[in-house]
Amino acid sequence: MNIFSYLQSGLSAIIPFVILLGILIFVHELGHFLVARWCGVRVEVFSLGFGKKLLKYKKGDTVYALSMIPLGGYVKMFGEQPGDHIAEEDKKHSFTHKNVWQRIAVVLAGPLMNFFFAIVIFFAVALIGEDAKTPVTGDIAASSPAYAAGFRSGDKIVSINEKPVTTWEDFQKGLSLKENHDLHIDVVVQREGTGEEAKIATTAKAEPNPNVLSSFEFMANVDGLTPYSAGTTIGVLGGSPLAALGLKTGDTITSLNGQKVSYWRQLEPALEKLNTKEPLTIEVLGMREGDKVEKPITVTLAPLESMKTFTMQGLGLESSELYLSKVIDGSPAQAAGLHAMDRLVTINGVKLQKWDDVISNIKSFDGKNPVDISVLRDGQTVSLKITPKMTTQMLPTGTEEKRYTIGIAPIANIAAPELMVLRTSNIGDALVRGVQKTWDVSVMTVMSFVRLFQAKISPKNIGGVISIGQAASETFKIGITQFLQMMAIISVNLFILNLMPVPVLDGGHLVFYIIEIVKGAPLSMKKMEVAQQVGLAILMSLMIFALFNDFTRLLGL
C-alpha cells in the first residue's frame, strides 16, 4: 500500500469520526447553552473543540467558535468561577449567582440532551428500518435436548407463552429471568419447507445469563437450541475432480444447478435430487490470486460413469472448519511447522470431527508432554509435536479466560442468522421503540460499569477515541442505519459518563450542588479546587488507560 492509499484510508476513517463526535458534542453543549440562556445566564463562548479558535463569529454576548482539537467542546458562562469579581449590576447574568436549582438545571441539561437525542435517533431508525435476526432456529443436533423437545433445524418461532415473536431478540426476552428458576415454555413454530405449525411444550433450565450486560441474571435455556447453522464453506480434497476444475478450500457454495443453498444441512438433500447423467454446475464465492474481495466463480462437472449419485464425500468436499486459515507468527504452531491450509486430522491419536474437538484437546494439555498432531498437507499426512502455551483469551462476554493455545485459526464455516428489516410506519410505535431502545442501552451501559467493578468483564474492554473512531468508520461503511445506531449508543454513553460523580464532569458539579442544598451553603473554594484536581487526575488516568487499550488492540498485543 502506497502513501496515498494510507492517506485515503486515514481520511475515510477520520471523516465519520468527526461527523459523529461533532454532532454529539454540539447536542451536549447546546443543552447547557439553551438552559443557561433560559435562566438568564450570559454565555460568553460556545465552542466545538478545544484550543486555538479556527473560526469564530460573535452575535450578541456570545462568541461561537470552531476550535482546533475536535475531542470535546465547552460553553463558557459569565461568572462561572466562584472567585470571580462580579459587579452588582452584572450579578443577574452570572452563573454563580443563580439559585442552586437553576445551576442544577444548566449542568443537567447537557447529559439530558444526549439522552433525548438518542431517543430521536432510535425513533428515526425505527421509521427507516433496522436489521434484526429472524426468529429461526439454526442447526438442531439430533442428540440434543432441543431435538427431543420437538425443535427442528430451520423452525420459525411464531410465539412463546402466547406472546407473538417477531425477532430472535423477542424470543430471547421471553427466556430472560430475574431469578434462578426453571421456566415452562409453550412455543409455536413453523416448519422449514412445509410451513406447517407445530406446538412444543418443554421446560427450559435456568442458567447464568451469558450476556453480562443484561439486567436479567439468568436465562432459561433448552440445550442445543441456537440461531446459528453451519455454512457452505468447503474443504476440497486433493485429487478430486472438483479440485481439478479449480474449486479451492475456503470457497463458499451458493448454488447447485441453480438451486440456492445457504446452510450445510441443505447440501446433501440438494445433491441427492440431481441426475448424475447431467452436468453438475456449482456456483461459489471465492478469492483467487490478486483478489481483494470474494467473487462469484462457476465450475461445471461433466457426467462421470463412475458416479451413480452425487454426495459430498464422492465429490471430495467436506466442511472447512478443520482447515487452518492462518498460523499466528511466533506461535507454538508456527515453530512446530504448521501451515495455513493444513487439514487437522488427529490430536494425540483422537480423530477430529469438528473445531470444538480441537479446542477441548488443546485446553486439556497437561503442561508436560508435547501434543501429537497429524495434518493432511498436499495429500500427504504430516505428524508434528507441539507444546501449547498458556494465553489469555478475550471471550465474547467481555471476560478473560486463561487457557492453553497453539496459535491457529480455522476457516470458519458458520452461517450468520438470516436478517430481516424491522421498521414501523406508525409514529407512536416508532417513538415507543426509540424510548425502549434508549432505555435498554442505558441499562447496558450502567451494567457495564457494575460488571467492571464486580470483575465480571475485563478492563481491557474500555476503549478511547481510537475505538470510537474505528466504530464510526466501520458502521459508516455498512450503512446509514448502523451509523445512526452507533451514534445513539455513544450518545447514551456520554449521558451516563457525564453524570458520574467525578469532579470536572457534570455529575461532579451536581454533587457539589446537592451538598450545597443539604448544608444550606456552597462548599469552600479550597475544597472544590482540591476535588477538581483529584477529578482531573482520575479523568486523565482513565483516558490514558483507554488509549493504552486502543493501541494494544491495534498492535495485536
Side-chain angles (χ1 to χ4, degrees):
M1 186 182 284
N2 58 39
I3 189 169
F4 297 106
S5 299
Y6 278 116
L7 287 172
Q8 186 178 14
S9 62
L11 286 173
S12 67
I14 290 170
I15 291 171
F17 170 68
V18 171
I19 292 171
L20 183 145
L21 208 58
I23 291 173
L24 294 183
I25 291 167
F26 173 76
V27 166
H28 182 91
E29 300 303 335
L30 183 64
H32 292 311
F33 174 80
L34 291 176
V35 176
R37 292 285 295 269
W38 181 62
C39 291
V41 177
R42 183 187 302 158
V43 179
E44 296 179 331
V45 180
F46 183 112
S47 175
L48 288 181
F50 297 112
K52 184 179 179 181
K53 295 178 176 64
L54 302 176
L55 296 171
K56 57 183 179 179
Y57 166 73
K58 185 170 183 179
K59 185 177 181 181
D61 295 321
T62 308
V63 173
Y64 301 89
L66 185 65
S67 300
M68 183 177 288
I69 305 171
L71 299 179
Y74 65 95
V75 168
K76 185 177 183 302
M77 292 173 283
F78 175 69
E80 63 182 336
Q81 297 300 324
D84 289 349
H85 175 72
I86 308 293
E88 192 62 39
E89 64 271 17
D90 288 329
K91 286 183 179 179
K92 62 182 178 180
H93 300 301
S94 167
F95 174 77
T96 303
H97 291 86
K98 295 296 177 183
N99 68 57
V100 68
W101 295 107
Q102 288 177 310
R103 281 176 277 146
I104 286 174
V106 172
V107 170
L108 196 56
L112 284 178
M113 277 289 278
N114 283 125
F115 182 82
F116 290 123
F117 185 59
I119 292 176
V120 171
I121 296 175
F122 282 128
F123 164 77
V125 168
L127 294 173
I128 296 168
E130 61 181 306
D131 289 339
K133 291 179 190 174
T134 57
V136 176
T137 61
D139 290 336
I140 308 294
S143 58
S144 68
Y147 191 93
F151 290 100
R152 297 293 181 265
S153 301
D155 280 348
K156 181 180 180 182
I157 299 167
V158 177
S159 67
I160 176 170
N161 291 340
E162 299 184 351
K163 292 181 180 178
V165 169
T166 303
T167 66
W168 187 263
E169 182 186 33
D170 294 338
F171 179 58
Q172 292 291 93
K173 283 181 179 178
L175 297 172
S176 299
L177 300 169
K178 288 285 187 183
E179 297 175 354
N180 186 3
H181 63 82
D182 294 345
L183 180 69
H184 177 81
I185 56 173
D186 293 305
V187 182
V188 177
V189 301
Q190 283 183 345
R191 297 298 188 201
E192 184 180 42
T194 65
E196 293 179 1
E197 282 200 354
K199 294 182 179 179
I200 300 168
T202 189
T203 299
K205 302 293 183 182
E207 295 180 359
N209 195 336
N211 179 9
V212 294
L213 300 184
S214 173
S215 59
F216 292 91
E217 291 286 335
F218 300 93
M219 179 71 72
N221 179 52
V222 181
D223 238 6
L225 190 58
T226 173
Y228 297 100
S229 301
T232 55
T233 304
I234 53 173
V236 183
L237 297 177
S240 66
L242 291 174
L245 289 171
L247 277 193
K248 292 183 179 296
T249 295
D251 289 344
T252 300
I253 298 175
T254 56
S255 74
L256 299 168
N257 279 8
Q259 180 183 341
K260 182 183 174 184
V261 286
S262 302
Y263 308 116
W264 192 264
R265 63 176 181 266
Q266 297 172 336
L267 292 175
E268 287 285 5
L271 286 170
E272 287 172 2
K273 295 176 183 177
L274 301 179
N275 187 348
T276 56
K277 294 181 180 179
E278 296 176 358
L280 172 62
T281 300
I282 302 177
E283 293 182 7
V284 302
L285 284 175
M287 293 177 66
R288 298 298 182 261
E289 192 173 346
D291 291 342
K292 294 182 179 178
V293 295
E294 289 188 323
K295 296 179 179 178
I297 299 166
T298 302
V299 299
T300 300
L301 178 68
L304 297 172
E305 287 289 334
S306 59
M307 197 168 289
K308 303 303 180 186
T309 57
F310 287 128
T311 64
M312 295 296 286
Q313 185 177 0
L315 292 169
L317 303 179
E318 60 181 352
S319 173
S320 66
E321 67 177 315
L322 291 176
Y323 289 81
L324 303 184
S325 65
K326 66 178 179 179
V327 176
I328 297 169
D329 289 342
S331 67
Q334 187 188 53
L338 274 180
H339 298 168
M341 291 299 167
D342 280 351
R343 199 275 194 201
L344 299 174
V345 179
T346 66
I347 295 180
N348 288 338
V350 178
K351 188 171 182 180
L352 303 170
Q353 303 291 337
K354 54 187 184 298
W355 186 253
D356 284 345
D357 297 340
V358 180
I359 294 174
S360 60
N361 276 278
I362 298 298
K363 281 172 71 173
S364 62
F365 173 60
D366 61 9
K368 299 173 184 176
N369 303 310
V371 174
D372 292 316
I373 294 182
S374 67
V375 301
L376 197 63
R377 180 186 301 163
D378 299 326
Q380 302 294 318
T381 300
V382 179
S383 297
L384 304 165
K385 288 185 180 293
I386 304 178
T387 302
K389 69 175 181 180
M390 184 65 74
T391 59
T392 301
Q393 304 291 312
M394 186 68 72
L395 302 179
T397 57
T399 56
E400 289 183 314
E401 178 188 54
K402 288 187 179 294
R403 61 180 171 87
Y404 284 108
T405 62
I406 59 173
I408 55 175
I411 298 176
N413 190 24
I414 296 293
E418 189 177 340
L419 297 179
M420 60 183 288
V421 177
L422 187 65
R423 68 163 60 90
T424 178
S425 57
N426 183 290
I427 298 294
D429 290 343
L431 184 58
V432 169
R433 178 76 174 167
V435 172
Q436 184 62 56
K437 287 280 285 185
T438 302
W439 177 254
D440 289 345
V441 174
S442 299
V443 169
M444 288 177 64
T445 305
V446 171
M447 291 306 298
S448 68
F449 287 106
V450 173
R451 299 304 186 218
L452 269 172
F453 285 114
Q454 292 176 336
K456 289 187 177 180
I457 62 174
S458 170
K460 291 181 181 178
N461 290 284
I462 297 172
V465 290
I466 295 175
S467 291
I468 296 173
Q470 287 177 321
S473 175
E474 292 304 315
T475 53
F476 192 78
K477 290 175 189 173
I478 297 170
I480 185 64
T481 299
Q482 290 78 8
F483 182 69
L484 287 174
Q485 287 176 313
M486 179 55 61
M487 184 182 290
I489 290 169
I490 295 174
S491 191
V492 170
N493 273 262
L494 288 175
F495 161 67
I496 301 293
L497 284 168
N498 274 285
L499 288 179
M500 290 181 68
V502 177
V504 311
L505 294 178
D506 293 329
H509 288 95
L510 291 174
V511 170
F512 292 157
Y513 301 145
I514 291 168
I515 292 172
E516 182 177 337
I517 292 171
V518 173
K519 282 182 60 181
L523 280 173
S524 68
M525 279 288 296
K526 185 172 183 180
K527 287 179 180 177
M528 282 196 286
E529 284 175 2
V530 170
Q532 295 275 14
Q533 289 169 359
V534 171
L536 185 61
I538 292 171
L539 195 61
M540 290 301 296
S541 299
L542 185 61
M543 289 176 65
I544 292 168
F545 181 70
L547 277 173
F548 174 78
N549 283 345
D550 285 346
F551 280 114
T552 54
R553 273 193 290 269
L554 277 175
L555 299 173
L557 300 175

